[in-house]
């Protein structure tokens, strides 16, 4: 019996029936067949505490007893207020204001609108385009598609429908690059800014780790160099930390590796520990205060129905407490140590003819192959080993939940290596 559910990114002709999930505990979810699978992706990188975490479940239940939802237009509530204070406390010093929305894409739409309106209010309405990077992924809504990699991104067929922005080359300098290597990347960024800064409102970047556009990793020096260029050319710097936020790169935020504060920062995926969809767009005083004024144009005209949802804010607060009390940054360092030793350090894997690169950053491990066909059996082989892996393009990766145990991390790594054991 076929289902009316239309699945994301699916080829309808070749798709196989989706396994039916009935529950989950820790790093595993369970299928109706009784099969248990170790989730190597923590459900598109958001279920950082794994499934069925008792404290997160209880936080939602308790909030549901008093208030499930209320509009944030003209009203407020404790959960929205407390979460905003916590986000200001833990994000880079300088981010002082929090605008809620319901998903990462919408959080980015908010950031882009904010940047354009900021310049408009400063008397620079011609600064209305974005500068993005090749290999970027910022979401699937129209505004976000327009700032995803226009060639390799999944949205090229929509080119005629989308507004035109500027793109700089993706950084090539690795995490531990020398100053010279980073300078070449920064020169390429400078050239685009020199040519077009008069119409650029903001530079958008996924700091350190470009995620869905190809798991490209770069240096903290590139991030701090980009900050300096933005200041020089009066361009706002927007960090899309939807994927990198909440520990994925080994620090609480990728910005922390570089000691850089962006003008605007977007958080989602890990924000609620994955238990409810929500996002936050944070801004500095400089951005926020530009909206204080007398004209109608000074109001920020945006307001998703579910912004500041009390259940989402409450579970996000509990997620942050568990993150700190259970020392997740130590767990992430532990997961990284295993990934470095047993994935990136595996010489046989690295030298396999199908493998182009193996790299890690924080709780992220990636095998990049030369040709996507090398990964065609990877998911099935992983499932035989009790692991849920979902590769895309030329990338086979893991972004496990932070509660993943050492033996489970090794089980994931073994499953990732399985396609490369023969030949
Ligand atoms: C997932 C993702 C988004 C989009 O978030 P959604 O909640 O899926 O809309 C935006 N930016 C980055 C970096 C992401 O990884």
């Amino acid at each position: 019996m076929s289902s009316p559910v239309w699945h994301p990114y699916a080829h309808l002709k070749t798709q196989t029936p989706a396994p039916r999930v009935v529950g989950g505990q820790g790093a595993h979810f369970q299928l109706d067949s009784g099969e248990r699978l170790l989730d190597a992706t923590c459900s598109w990188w958001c279920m950082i505490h794994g499934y069925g975490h008792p404290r997160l479940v209880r936080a939602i239940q308790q909030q549901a007893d008093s208030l499930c939802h209320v509009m944030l237009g003209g009203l407020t509530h404790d959960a929205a207020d407390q979460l905003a204070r916590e986000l200001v406390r833990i994000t880079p010093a300088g981010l002082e204001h929090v605008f809620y929305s319901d998903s990462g894409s919408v959080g980015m739409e908010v950031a882009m609108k904010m940047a354009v309106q900021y310049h408009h209010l400063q008397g620079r309405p011609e600064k209305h385009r974005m500068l993005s990077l090749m290999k970027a992924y910022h979401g699937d809504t129209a505004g976000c598609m327009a700032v995803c990699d226009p060639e390799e991104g999944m949205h090229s067929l929509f080119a005629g429908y989308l507004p035109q922005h500027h793109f700089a080359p993706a950084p090539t300098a690795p995490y531990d690059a020398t100053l010279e290597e980073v300078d070449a990347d920064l020169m390429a960024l400078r050239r685009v800014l020199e040519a077009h800064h008069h119409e650029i409102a903001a530079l958008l970047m996924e700091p350190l780790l470009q995620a869905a556009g190809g798991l490209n990793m770069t240096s903290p020096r590139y991030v701090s160099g980009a900050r300096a260029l933005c200041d020089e050319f009066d361009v706002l710097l927007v960090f899309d930390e939807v994927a990198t936020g909440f520990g994925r790169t080994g620090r609480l935020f990728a910005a922390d590796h570089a000691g850089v504060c962006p003008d605007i920062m977007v958080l989602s995926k890990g924000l609620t520990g994955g238990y409810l969809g929500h996002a936050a767009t944070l801004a500095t005083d400089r951005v926020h205060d530009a909206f204080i004024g007398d004209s109608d144009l000074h109001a920020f005209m945006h307001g998703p129905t579910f912004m500041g949802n009390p259940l989402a804010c409450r579970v996000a607060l509990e997620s942050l407490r568990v993150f700190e009390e259970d020392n997740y940054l130590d767990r992430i360092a532990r997961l990284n140590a295993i990934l470095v030793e047993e994935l990136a350090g595996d010489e046989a894997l690295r030298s396999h003819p199908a493998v182009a690169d193996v790299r890690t950053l924080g709780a992220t491990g990636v095998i990049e192959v030369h040709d996507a066909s090398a990964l065609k059996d990877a998911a099935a082989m992983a499932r035989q080993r009790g692991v849920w892996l979902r590769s895309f393009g030329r990338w086979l990766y893991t972004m496990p939940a932070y509660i993943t145990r050492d033996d489970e991390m090794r089980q994931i790594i073994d499953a990732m290596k399985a396609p490369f054991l023969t030949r």
Side-chain angles (χ1 to χ4, degrees), residues 367 369 371-379 391-396 419-420:
I367 302 174
V369 296
D371 187 325
S373 65
L375 301 179
K376 69 178 188 330
D377 298 325
S391 63
F392 63 93
R394 293 183 290 110
W395 300 278
L396 182 64
F420 310 102

Side-chain angles (χ1 to χ4, degrees), residues 45 103-106 108 137-140 206 211-212 240 242-243 268-269:
W45 332 333
S103 73
S105 299
V106 177
M108 280 302 293
Y137 175 83
H138 294 295
D140 287 351
E206 300 154 88
D240 177 352
V242 171
S268 185
K269 294 201 167 84

